[in-house]
């Protein structure tokens, strides 16, 4: 089943449960998916990789907004953003633990012979492509920096 069908099913469930936070999140997600699909060509389906990137972007936007609200002392606005991020994140593949990410980073460093921060871009590119959807870019970046330092 495609992601769009999963979102529609979840929307129906949210409507029946009168879950306004989930419904708002799912509608936003559906809208972004439809816009991306029309931009890529009227009748083509989005690939799974494209769908994952879109969902990751939506989650990141919500988390970034929540962080800004918290900095400004607006917990009342941060809470709904985090709740929406959780709803949207349900459509991502299971996230890897930091230990598992570190193992992948170490293997890529060994494979490429990377030494120091000058090779960070090369390592980040390979690790990011291997872990697409399974790990957050910020987490990957932190681990790569610690291994190359």
């Amino acid at each position: 089943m495609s992601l769009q069908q999963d979102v529609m099913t979840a929307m129906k469930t949210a409507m029946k449960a009168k879950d306004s936070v989930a419904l708002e999140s799912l509608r936003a997600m559906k809208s972004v998916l439809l816009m991306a699909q029309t931009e890529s060509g009227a009748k083509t389906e989005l690939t799974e990789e494209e769908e994952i990137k879109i969902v990751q972007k939506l989650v990141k936007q919500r988390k970034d907004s929540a962080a800004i609200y918290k900095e400004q002392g607006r917990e009342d606005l941060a809470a709904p953003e985090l709740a929406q991020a959780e709803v949207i994140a349900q459509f991502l593949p299971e996230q890897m633990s930091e230990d598992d990410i570190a193992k992948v980073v170490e293997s890529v460093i060994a494979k490429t012979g990377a030494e120091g921060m000058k090779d960070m871009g090369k390592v980040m590119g390979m690790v990011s492509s291997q872990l697409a959807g399974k790990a957050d870019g910020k987490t990957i970046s932190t681990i790569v920096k610690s291994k190359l330092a």
Side-chain angles (χ1 to χ4, degrees), residues 3 13 27 38 40 51 56 61 63 72 81 84 90-91 95 97 102-103 107 119 121 124 126-127 134-135 138 140 144:
L3 180 62
T13 305
R27 282 183 175 150
T38 53
S40 68
E51 291 175 341
Q56 281 180 320
Q61 286 174 339
K63 287 182 178 181
Q72 297 173 349
E81 291 290 332
Q84 285 188 16
Q90 294 172 357
F91 294 92
Q95 299 295 295
S97 69
K103 289 176 188 171
S107 73
D119 295 323
M124 278 295 296
M126 292 181 72
V127 172
K134 298 177 188 170
K138 193 179 284 188
I140 294 171
V144 169

Side-chain angles (χ1 to χ4, degrees), residues 39-93:
E39 286 174 5
S40 68
K43 295 185 178 165
T44 58
E45 286 283 321
L46 294 173
T47 65
E48 188 175 343
E49 187 176 298
E50 291 171 325
E51 291 175 341
I52 289 172
K53 283 183 182 180
I54 290 169
V55 174
Q56 281 180 320
K57 181 179 176 185
L58 289 171
V59 171
K60 185 178 183 323
Q61 286 174 339
R62 300 297 188 286
K63 287 182 178 181
D64 289 348
S65 295
I68 291 169
Y69 289 140
K70 283 184 179 182
E71 285 176 18
Q72 297 173 349
R74 297 295 310 262
E75 292 294 328
D76 58 319
L77 296 174
E81 291 290 332
L82 291 173
Q84 285 188 16
E86 283 182 34
V87 170
I88 296 169
Q90 294 172 357
F91 294 92
L92 286 173

